[in-house]
Amino acid sequence: MALVKAGVVVLDCAEPETLAEFYKGLLDAEETATTANLIEIRGADGTRLAFRRDANATPPSWPRPENSLQAHLDFLVDDLDEAERVIVGLGGRPLEARVTSGPLEERGYADPSGHSFTLRRTTSTAPKQG
């Protein structure tokens, strides 16, 4: 039995309410805990994220070197284009375009508070036809 179990990823931000709404929409999540300075959500797949109020939060500047990548999240999707439309509709923005294609195709984004995350296309587990 593990002594320590994975808990929840916590992102510091100036406005946890805004960030919680963004990730609730992205992950089809529900709020599981709320205080004056912290909101926790659980995604439909069980992913747990929390957003902690920090009035002095400085968003990462990645890919620029100052305040560079502090941490980032990776999400798996079947359709990158559809996921991008949802992200932009929720207030996120693309960080870079990757021209690569194939099973390792990925794209970088920032949430409304500037935290970076990556979408990676899932590889099909269905047997090849024909």
Side-chain angles (χ1 to χ4, degrees):
M1 177 198 268
L3 176 64
V4 177
K5 296 180 182 178
V8 60
V9 174
V10 180
L11 298 176
D12 291 343
C13 56
E15 298 176 5
E17 300 82 5
T18 301
L19 212 50
E21 286 303 313
F22 174 82
Y23 283 103
K24 281 168 46 178
L26 184 63
L27 300 173
D28 190 22
E30 62 183 38
E31 230 167 88
T32 58
T34 304
T35 68
N37 292 312
L38 184 95
I39 299 172
E40 185 175 317
I41 65 169
R42 181 182 312 270
D45 67 350
T47 301
R48 293 174 56 203
L49 295 174
F51 313 98
R52 184 179 68 139
R53 187 178 315 280
D54 177 356
N56 298 315
T58 302
S61 62
W62 184 87
R64 296 185 322 267
E66 64 279 358
N67 291 327
S68 192
L69 187 63
Q70 298 165 3
H72 79 278
L73 304 168
D74 280 355
F75 297 106
L76 302 175
V77 298
D78 292 324
D79 185 328
L80 285 165
D81 293 330
E82 180 182 356
E84 182 167 304
R85 285 190 292 276
V86 170
I87 288 164
V88 171
L90 291 168
R93 62 184 169 82
L95 288 178
E96 62 181 37
R98 299 253 173 110
V99 184
T100 61
S101 61
L104 300 178
E105 185 178 1
E106 60 182 38
R107 297 180 190 170
Y109 299 89
D111 66 27
S113 291
H115 301 101
S116 62
F117 63 94
T118 301
L119 294 185
R120 285 189 288 147
R121 190 166 63 88
T122 56
T123 55
S124 174
T125 56
K128 290 186 178 182
Q129 301 294 318

PDB file of all heavy atoms in Angstrom, residues 12-37:
ATOM      1  N   ASP A  12      -2.123  28.370  -8.798  1.00  0.00           N
ATOM      2  CA  ASP A  12      -2.292  29.680  -8.185  1.00  0.00           C
ATOM      3  C   ASP A  12      -2.721  30.672  -9.247  1.00  0.00           C
ATOM      4  O   ASP A  12      -2.251  30.625 -10.389  1.00  0.00           O
ATOM      5  CB  ASP A  12      -0.978  30.151  -7.557  1.00  0.00           C
ATOM      6  CG  ASP A  12      -0.583  29.334  -6.335  1.00  0.00           C
ATOM      7  OD1 ASP A  12      -1.454  28.632  -5.790  1.00  0.00           O
ATOM      8  OD2 ASP A  12       0.582  29.400  -5.936  1.00  0.00           O
ATOM      9  N   CYS A  13      -3.621  31.576  -8.870  1.00  0.00           N
ATOM     10  CA  CYS A  13      -4.118  32.556  -9.825  1.00  0.00           C
ATOM     11  C   CYS A  13      -4.780  33.704  -9.072  1.00  0.00           C
ATOM     12  O   CYS A  13      -5.111  33.572  -7.894  1.00  0.00           O
ATOM     13  CB  CYS A  13      -5.118  31.920 -10.784  1.00  0.00           C
ATOM     14  SG  CYS A  13      -6.504  31.123  -9.955  1.00  0.00           S
ATOM     15  N   ALA A  14      -4.953  34.824  -9.748  1.00  0.00           N
ATOM     16  CA  ALA A  14      -5.585  35.985  -9.118  1.00  0.00           C
ATOM     17  C   ALA A  14      -7.095  35.802  -8.980  1.00  0.00           C
ATOM     18  O   ALA A  14      -7.698  36.308  -8.032  1.00  0.00           O
ATOM     19  CB  ALA A  14      -5.279  37.240  -9.922  1.00  0.00           C
ATOM     20  N   GLU A  15      -7.719  35.078  -9.922  1.00  0.00           N
ATOM     21  CA  GLU A  15      -9.170  34.917  -9.922  1.00  0.00           C
ATOM     22  C   GLU A  15      -9.547  33.434 -10.050  1.00  0.00           C
ATOM     23  O   GLU A  15      -9.815  32.943 -11.157  1.00  0.00           O
ATOM     24  CB  GLU A  15      -9.784  35.714 -11.068  1.00  0.00           C
ATOM     25  CG  GLU A  15      -9.538  37.212 -10.964  1.00  0.00           C
ATOM     26  CD  GLU A  15     -10.073  37.977 -12.158  1.00  0.00           C
ATOM     27  OE1 GLU A  15     -10.715  37.376 -13.035  1.00  0.00           O
ATOM     28  OE2 GLU A  15      -9.844  39.183 -12.205  1.00  0.00           O
ATOM     29  N   PRO A  16      -9.612  32.708  -8.934  1.00  0.00           N
ATOM     30  CA  PRO A  16      -9.930  31.283  -9.015  1.00  0.00           C
ATOM     31  C   PRO A  16     -11.303  30.980  -9.595  1.00  0.00           C
ATOM     32  O   PRO A  16     -11.497  29.949 -10.226  1.00  0.00           O
ATOM     33  CB  PRO A  16      -9.813  30.792  -7.573  1.00  0.00           C
ATOM     34  CG  PRO A  16      -9.797  31.999  -6.722  1.00  0.00           C
ATOM     35  CD  PRO A  16      -9.361  33.139  -7.566  1.00  0.00           C
ATOM     36  N   GLU A  17     -12.243  31.893  -9.435  1.00  0.00           N
ATOM     37  CA  GLU A  17     -13.582  31.668  -9.977  1.00  0.00           C
ATOM     38  C   GLU A  17     -13.534  31.560 -11.500  1.00  0.00           C
ATOM     39  O   GLU A  17     -14.144  30.674 -12.104  1.00  0.00           O
ATOM     40  CB  GLU A  17     -14.537  32.798  -9.554  1.00  0.00           C
ATOM     41  CG  GLU A  17     -14.704  32.956  -8.063  1.00  0.00           C
ATOM     42  CD  GLU A  17     -13.598  33.756  -7.376  1.00  0.00           C
ATOM     43  OE1 GLU A  17     -12.704  34.293  -8.065  1.00  0.00           O
ATOM     44  OE2 GLU A  17     -13.613  33.839  -6.143  1.00  0.00           O
ATOM     45  N   THR A  18     -12.805  32.472 -12.134  1.00  0.00           N
ATOM     46  CA  THR A  18     -12.685  32.479 -13.590  1.00  0.00           C
ATOM     47  C   THR A  18     -11.992  31.219 -14.088  1.00  0.00           C
ATOM     48  O   THR A  18     -12.431  30.588 -15.053  1.00  0.00           O
ATOM     49  CB  THR A  18     -11.897  33.722 -14.052  1.00  0.00           C
ATOM     50  OG1 THR A  18     -12.592  34.884 -13.607  1.00  0.00           O
ATOM     51  CG2 THR A  18     -11.746  33.761 -15.559  1.00  0.00           C
ATOM     52  N   LEU A  19     -10.913  30.844 -13.425  1.00  0.00           N
ATOM     53  CA  LEU A  19     -10.165  29.672 -13.856  1.00  0.00           C
ATOM     54  C   LEU A  19     -10.958  28.393 -13.628  1.00  0.00           C
ATOM     55  O   LEU A  19     -10.940  27.488 -14.468  1.00  0.00           O
ATOM     56  CB  LEU A  19      -8.829  29.608 -13.105  1.00  0.00           C
ATOM     57  CG  LEU A  19      -7.677  28.994 -13.858  1.00  0.00           C
ATOM     58  CD1 LEU A  19      -7.501  29.580 -15.242  1.00  0.00           C
ATOM     59  CD2 LEU A  19      -6.409  29.097 -13.059  1.00  0.00           C
ATOM     60  N   ALA A  20     -11.690  28.307 -12.526  1.00  0.00           N
ATOM     61  CA  ALA A  20     -12.523  27.129 -12.276  1.00  0.00           C
ATOM     62  C   ALA A  20     -13.579  26.982 -13.365  1.00  0.00           C
ATOM     63  O   ALA A  20     -13.829  25.873 -13.846  1.00  0.00           O
ATOM     64  CB  ALA A  20     -13.178  27.223 -10.894  1.00  0.00           C
ATOM     65  N   GLU A  21     -14.200  28.071 -13.790  1.00  0.00           N
ATOM     66  CA  GLU A  21     -15.204  28.002 -14.851  1.00  0.00           C
ATOM     67  C   GLU A  21     -14.589  27.507 -16.157  1.00  0.00           C
ATOM     68  O   GLU A  21     -15.190  26.707 -16.870  1.00  0.00           O
ATOM     69  CB  GLU A  21     -15.879  29.363 -15.055  1.00  0.00           C
ATOM     70  CG  GLU A  21     -16.856  29.726 -13.965  1.00  0.00           C
ATOM     71  CD  GLU A  21     -17.957  28.696 -13.772  1.00  0.00           C
ATOM     72  OE1 GLU A  21     -18.560  28.244 -14.781  1.00  0.00           O
ATOM     73  OE2 GLU A  21     -18.212  28.323 -12.616  1.00  0.00           O
ATOM     74  N   PHE A  22     -13.380  27.985 -16.477  1.00  0.00           N
ATOM     75  CA  PHE A  22     -12.705  27.547 -17.693  1.00  0.00           C
ATOM     76  C   PHE A  22     -12.490  26.031 -17.664  1.00  0.00           C
ATOM     77  O   PHE A  22     -12.878  25.320 -18.589  1.00  0.00           O
ATOM     78  CB  PHE A  22     -11.358  28.264 -17.836  1.00  0.00           C
ATOM     79  CG  PHE A  22     -10.530  27.775 -18.992  1.00  0.00           C
ATOM     80  CD1 PHE A  22     -10.768  28.233 -20.276  1.00  0.00           C
ATOM     81  CD2 PHE A  22      -9.517  26.846 -18.797  1.00  0.00           C
ATOM     82  CE1 PHE A  22     -10.003  27.787 -21.355  1.00  0.00           C
ATOM     83  CE2 PHE A  22      -8.750  26.387 -19.863  1.00  0.00           C
ATOM     84  CZ  PHE A  22      -8.997  26.860 -21.144  1.00  0.00           C
ATOM     85  N   TYR A  23     -11.904  25.509 -16.599  1.00  0.00           N
ATOM     86  CA  TYR A  23     -11.602  24.079 -16.539  1.00  0.00           C
ATOM     87  C   TYR A  23     -12.855  23.223 -16.330  1.00  0.00           C
ATOM     88  O   TYR A  23     -12.897  22.082 -16.783  1.00  0.00           O
ATOM     89  CB  TYR A  23     -10.539  23.793 -15.478  1.00  0.00           C
ATOM     90  CG  TYR A  23      -9.157  24.172 -15.965  1.00  0.00           C
ATOM     91  CD1 TYR A  23      -8.542  25.333 -15.542  1.00  0.00           C
ATOM     92  CD2 TYR A  23      -8.491  23.384 -16.897  1.00  0.00           C
ATOM     93  CE1 TYR A  23      -7.288  25.690 -16.009  1.00  0.00           C
ATOM     94  CE2 TYR A  23      -7.236  23.737 -17.372  1.00  0.00           C
ATOM     95  CZ  TYR A  23      -6.644  24.892 -16.925  1.00  0.00           C
ATOM     96  OH  TYR A  23      -5.402  25.238 -17.406  1.00  0.00           O
ATOM     97  N   LYS A  24     -13.882  23.757 -15.686  1.00  0.00           N
ATOM     98  CA  LYS A  24     -15.145  23.018 -15.595  1.00  0.00           C
ATOM     99  C   LYS A  24     -15.710  22.803 -16.991  1.00  0.00           C
ATOM    100  O   LYS A  24     -16.172  21.707 -17.324  1.00  0.00           O
ATOM    101  CB  LYS A  24     -16.148  23.766 -14.706  1.00  0.00           C
ATOM    102  CG  LYS A  24     -15.887  23.578 -13.229  1.00  0.00           C
ATOM    103  CD  LYS A  24     -16.659  24.511 -12.317  1.00  0.00           C
ATOM    104  CE  LYS A  24     -18.102  24.671 -12.596  1.00  0.00           C
ATOM    105  NZ  LYS A  24     -18.783  25.559 -11.623  1.00  0.00           N
ATOM    106  N   GLY A  25     -15.665  23.833 -17.825  1.00  0.00           N
ATOM    107  CA  GLY A  25     -16.152  23.694 -19.187  1.00  0.00           C
ATOM    108  C   GLY A  25     -15.284  22.772 -20.025  1.00  0.00           C
ATOM    109  O   GLY A  25     -15.782  21.975 -20.815  1.00  0.00           O
ATOM    110  N   LEU A  26     -13.976  22.844 -19.841  1.00  0.00           N
ATOM    111  CA  LEU A  26     -13.047  22.030 -20.626  1.00  0.00           C
ATOM    112  C   LEU A  26     -13.133  20.554 -20.260  1.00  0.00           C
ATOM    113  O   LEU A  26     -13.086  19.690 -21.120  1.00  0.00           O
ATOM    114  CB  LEU A  26     -11.614  22.532 -20.417  1.00  0.00           C
ATOM    115  CG  LEU A  26     -10.523  21.851 -21.234  1.00  0.00           C
ATOM    116  CD1 LEU A  26     -10.743  22.090 -22.719  1.00  0.00           C
ATOM    117  CD2 LEU A  26      -9.161  22.363 -20.803  1.00  0.00           C
ATOM    118  N   LEU A  27     -13.279  20.252 -18.972  1.00  0.00           N
ATOM    119  CA  LEU A  27     -13.234  18.872 -18.493  1.00  0.00           C
ATOM    120  C   LEU A  27     -14.603  18.293 -18.149  1.00  0.00           C
ATOM    121  O   LEU A  27     -14.682  17.211 -17.577  1.00  0.00           O
ATOM    122  CB  LEU A  27     -12.324  18.784 -17.248  1.00  0.00           C
ATOM    123  CG  LEU A  27     -10.872  19.205 -17.457  1.00  0.00           C
ATOM    124  CD1 LEU A  27     -10.144  19.244 -16.129  1.00  0.00           C
ATOM    125  CD2 LEU A  27     -10.191  18.270 -18.441  1.00  0.00           C
ATOM    126  N   ASP A  28     -15.675  19.015 -18.461  1.00  0.00           N
ATOM    127  CA  ASP A  28     -17.015  18.583 -18.071  1.00  0.00           C
ATOM    128  C   ASP A  28     -17.010  18.234 -16.580  1.00  0.00           C
ATOM    129  O   ASP A  28     -17.382  17.139 -16.167  1.00  0.00           O
ATOM    130  CB  ASP A  28     -17.472  17.384 -18.907  1.00  0.00           C
ATOM    131  CG  ASP A  28     -18.939  17.052 -18.702  1.00  0.00           C
ATOM    132  OD1 ASP A  28     -19.701  17.943 -18.274  1.00  0.00           O
ATOM    133  OD2 ASP A  28     -19.321  15.884 -18.938  1.00  0.00           O
ATOM    134  N   ALA A  29     -16.543  19.197 -15.788  1.00  0.00           N
ATOM    135  CA  ALA A  29     -16.277  18.971 -14.366  1.00  0.00           C
ATOM    136  C   ALA A  29     -17.347  19.594 -13.482  1.00  0.00           C
ATOM    137  O   ALA A  29     -18.136  20.422 -13.916  1.00  0.00           O
ATOM    138  CB  ALA A  29     -14.911  19.554 -13.998  1.00  0.00           C
ATOM    139  N   GLU A  30     -17.311  19.171 -12.227  1.00  0.00           N
ATOM    140  CA  GLU A  30     -18.194  19.767 -11.221  1.00  0.00           C
ATOM    141  C   GLU A  30     -17.353  20.249 -10.052  1.00  0.00           C
ATOM    142  O   GLU A  30     -16.273  19.718  -9.771  1.00  0.00           O
ATOM    143  CB  GLU A  30     -19.234  18.763 -10.746  1.00  0.00           C
ATOM    144  CG  GLU A  30     -18.644  17.547 -10.067  1.00  0.00           C
ATOM    145  CD  GLU A  30     -19.715  16.541  -9.665  1.00  0.00           C
ATOM    146  OE1 GLU A  30     -20.682  16.361 -10.422  1.00  0.00           O
ATOM    147  OE2 GLU A  30     -19.557  15.948  -8.580  1.00  0.00           O
ATOM    148  N   GLU A  31     -17.850  21.284  -9.390  1.00  0.00           N
ATOM    149  CA  GLU A  31     -17.177  21.822  -8.219  1.00  0.00           C
ATOM    150  C   GLU A  31     -17.365  20.861  -7.059  1.00  0.00           C
ATOM    151  O   GLU A  31     -18.465  20.381  -6.809  1.00  0.00           O
ATOM    152  CB  GLU A  31     -17.795  23.174  -7.867  1.00  0.00           C
ATOM    153  CG  GLU A  31     -16.792  24.257  -7.667  1.00  0.00           C
ATOM    154  CD  GLU A  31     -17.416  25.624  -7.630  1.00  0.00           C
ATOM    155  OE1 GLU A  31     -17.811  26.048  -6.529  1.00  0.00           O
ATOM    156  OE2 GLU A  31     -17.499  26.254  -8.708  1.00  0.00           O
ATOM    157  N   THR A  32     -16.273  20.572  -6.347  1.00  0.00           N
ATOM    158  CA  THR A  32     -16.366  19.644  -5.216  1.00  0.00           C
ATOM    159  C   THR A  32     -16.071  20.313  -3.882  1.00  0.00           C
ATOM    160  O   THR A  32     -16.445  19.795  -2.841  1.00  0.00           O
ATOM    161  CB  THR A  32     -15.416  18.448  -5.399  1.00  0.00           C
ATOM    162  OG1 THR A  32     -14.079  18.931  -5.542  1.00  0.00           O
ATOM    163  CG2 THR A  32     -15.811  17.631  -6.615  1.00  0.00           C
ATOM    164  N   ALA A  33     -15.386  21.457  -3.895  1.00  0.00           N
ATOM    165  CA  ALA A  33     -15.089  22.180  -2.660  1.00  0.00           C
ATOM    166  C   ALA A  33     -14.844  23.637  -2.998  1.00  0.00           C
ATOM    167  O   ALA A  33     -14.227  23.951  -4.010  1.00  0.00           O
ATOM    168  CB  ALA A  33     -13.858  21.591  -1.972  1.00  0.00           C
ATOM    169  N   THR A  34     -15.332  24.511  -2.131  1.00  0.00           N
ATOM    170  CA  THR A  34     -15.145  25.941  -2.349  1.00  0.00           C
ATOM    171  C   THR A  34     -14.942  26.633  -1.016  1.00  0.00           C
ATOM    172  O   THR A  34     -15.686  26.394  -0.063  1.00  0.00           O
ATOM    173  CB  THR A  34     -16.382  26.564  -3.037  1.00  0.00           C
ATOM    174  OG1 THR A  34     -16.639  25.860  -4.246  1.00  0.00           O
ATOM    175  CG2 THR A  34     -16.161  28.023  -3.344  1.00  0.00           C
ATOM    176  N   THR A  35     -13.908  27.479  -0.956  1.00  0.00           N
ATOM    177  CA  THR A  35     -13.708  28.378   0.174  1.00  0.00           C
ATOM    178  C   THR A  35     -13.501  29.770  -0.419  1.00  0.00           C
ATOM    179  O   THR A  35     -13.547  29.937  -1.642  1.00  0.00           O
ATOM    180  CB  THR A  35     -12.481  27.978   1.024  1.00  0.00           C
ATOM    181  OG1 THR A  35     -11.295  28.194   0.247  1.00  0.00           O
ATOM    182  CG2 THR A  35     -12.559  26.534   1.488  1.00  0.00           C
ATOM    183  N   ALA A  36     -13.223  30.744   0.415  1.00  0.00           N
ATOM    184  CA  ALA A  36     -13.007  32.102  -0.089  1.00  0.00           C
ATOM    185  C   ALA A  36     -11.794  32.175  -1.007  1.00  0.00           C
ATOM    186  O   ALA A  36     -11.748  33.009  -1.910  1.00  0.00           O
ATOM    187  CB  ALA A  36     -12.834  33.066   1.076  1.00  0.00           C
ATOM    188  N   ASN A  37     -10.809  31.297  -0.807  1.00  0.00           N
ATOM    189  CA  ASN A  37      -9.571  31.385  -1.577  1.00  0.00           C
ATOM    190  C   ASN A  37      -9.224  30.142  -2.376  1.00  0.00           C
ATOM    191  O   ASN A  37      -8.134  30.066  -2.937  1.00  0.00           O
ATOM    192  CB  ASN A  37      -8.410  31.717  -0.633  1.00  0.00           C
ATOM    193  CG  ASN A  37      -8.537  33.121  -0.089  1.00  0.00           C
ATOM    194  OD1 ASN A  37      -8.760  34.061  -0.828  1.00  0.00           O
ATOM    195  ND2 ASN A  37      -8.423  33.249   1.218  1.00  0.00           N
TER     196      ASN A  37
END
